[in-house]
Amino acid sequence: MASPCEVLIECELESEARELASLAFAEAMRIERKFSRYRDDNVIFKINNAHGEPISVDEETSKLLNYAAESFHLSEGLFDITSGLLRKAWKFDGQPANPDKELIKKLLNRVGWEKVRFDGKQIRMRHGMEIDLGGLGKEYAVDRVADTLFRNRQVPVMVNFGGDLRTIGHRVGSAPWTIGIEKPDEENYSVGEIQLTDGAIATSGDARRFCTYKGKRLGHILNPRTGWPVTNMPRSVTVIAEYCMAAGFLATLAMLSGKDAEKFLNEQEVKYHCVR
């Protein structure tokens, strides 16, 4: 998951907590192995290296691709799992950037879910295109792990993968889970708190991955239509939703909305915390 991961469980026996922790680890690793683009032995590697040939997918992969397709259409093309190629033109290490505009133009020819053929069972992409589920994979893992734990033992749990989290159940004494909202650039410093019993939180921001260009700070979130980082976006957006996948999708879209992030979130009628 490329981030700190934790699972908090409230139960009476240490053995029970250890058993649930093992289940959480196994499910998270299964998803990591199956959908990480950094591996060369999974379905994502097969799809990205099919050179224009169709690749059959299983039910779970099909559901994720359908979710990505729906997100692409709902966002009018802003949420696009084929846009990961654009990372080849950018480096978000906090240093001044010197983007190659010709390279961006060439990469954009290989970006766009509308160029993908997917019928629910097979996916076919043009040669040179890639998909990357990084924009939804961690949130999917959070939801899967939380549901897996609660199905096995009806005890309160909080699954937190890199700040994207889901809680199920009241804590002992009917208390809610309390989650701090981290201030950008200052770890362990909270700018607010959220109390949650059954729900999810996801945050999108540019605290650690950014560059500068002509004296301006640019975050790592790229507009798949232009190939350039989104401008005038918040430093971070935290969204509360029923499931982590929904929270993550809305947080990312809010960042992609730039100066209109708050307007977008208000239109969705969701609870959120925005830091400018």
Side-chain angles (χ1 to χ4, degrees):
M1 299 298 159
S3 58
C5 299
E6 66 175 354
V7 176
L8 303 182
I9 303 162
E10 286 199 346
C11 57
E12 294 183 357
L13 301 174
E14 180 179 339
S15 59
E16 189 177 18
R18 289 187 178 279
E19 182 182 344
L20 290 172
S22 295
L23 284 174
F25 181 79
E27 180 64 359
M29 289 304 299
R30 183 190 71 80
I31 294 170
E32 172 83 16
R33 284 193 292 269
K34 186 171 182 177
F35 297 115
S36 171
R37 71 173 174 83
Y38 296 102
R39 299 179 66 96
D40 61 3
D41 59 353
N42 62 16
V43 65
I44 302 302
F45 180 84
K46 289 180 182 176
I47 293 171
N48 289 342
N49 292 274
H51 307 294
E53 295 297 317
I55 296 294
S56 297
V57 299
D58 64 10
E59 184 177 352
E60 184 181 32
T61 305
S62 178
K63 286 181 178 177
L64 280 176
L65 292 177
N66 273 317
Y67 185 88
E70 186 176 354
S71 299
F72 175 82
H73 293 300
L74 287 173
S75 68
E76 298 180 346
L78 288 177
F79 190 98
D80 192 337
I81 62 170
T82 70
S83 66
L85 275 173
L86 294 169
R87 67 182 177 277
K88 295 181 178 179
W90 295 92
K91 193 173 184 180
F92 298 104
D93 58 358
Q95 300 300 311
N98 184 25
D100 184 334
K101 295 179 182 177
E102 284 303 312
L103 175 58
I104 293 173
K105 189 176 178 181
K106 289 179 181 176
L107 291 172
L108 283 174
N109 289 328
R110 294 154 55 193
V111 170
W113 178 260
E114 74 278 6
K115 301 168 186 169
V116 176
R117 295 293 171 264
F118 176 57
D119 63 5
K121 296 181 179 179
Q122 288 190 325
I123 181 171
R124 182 198 294 265
M125 295 194 304
R126 297 178 186 177
H127 176 68
M129 290 185 71
E130 294 181 4
I131 62 169
D132 182 354
L133 298 182
L136 55 87
K138 186 169 59 169
E139 292 87 345
Y140 174 68
V142 168
D143 283 332
R144 284 283 308 190
V145 169
D147 288 336
T148 297
L149 297 185
F150 198 72
R151 271 201 307 272
N152 276 271
R153 301 279 196 286
Q154 282 69 52
V155 296
V157 299
M158 180 171 77
V159 178
N160 177 8
F161 290 175
D164 295 334
L165 60 88
R166 168 110 173 262
T167 65
I168 302 181
H170 286 283
R171 303 187 66 187
V172 173
S174 298
W177 299 90
T178 300
I179 298 106
I181 301 173
E182 192 174 88
K183 183 178 181 181
D185 302 329
E186 289 191 47
E187 288 187 46
N188 302 319
Y189 186 88
S190 173
V191 294
E193 286 185 351
I194 295 171
Q195 293 192 327
L196 208 60
T197 299
D198 292 307
I201 292 174
T203 298
S204 183
D206 71 348
R208 296 173 181 81
R209 295 178 61 202
F210 66 96
C211 65
T212 60
Y213 181 69
K214 294 184 177 180
K216 291 185 178 180
R217 178 191 178 102
L218 298 177
H220 71 280
I221 296 178
L222 296 166
N223 185 325
R225 297 172 183 159
T226 67
W228 283 70
V230 179
T231 57
N232 299 314
M233 64 182 185
R235 294 297 314 281
S236 74
V237 171
T238 298
V239 175
I240 305 166
E242 185 175 3
Y243 296 100
C244 199
M245 286 186 77
F249 172 66
L250 291 170
T252 300
L253 271 195
M255 296 295 280
L256 284 163
S257 299
K259 64 180 177 59
D260 295 323
E262 292 90 340
K263 178 185 175 187
F264 165 78
L265 290 167
N266 289 331
E267 289 173 349
Q268 309 312 309
E269 299 182 346
V270 295
K271 294 181 179 178
Y272 68 91
H273 192 100
C274 190
V275 179
R276 288 275 180 185

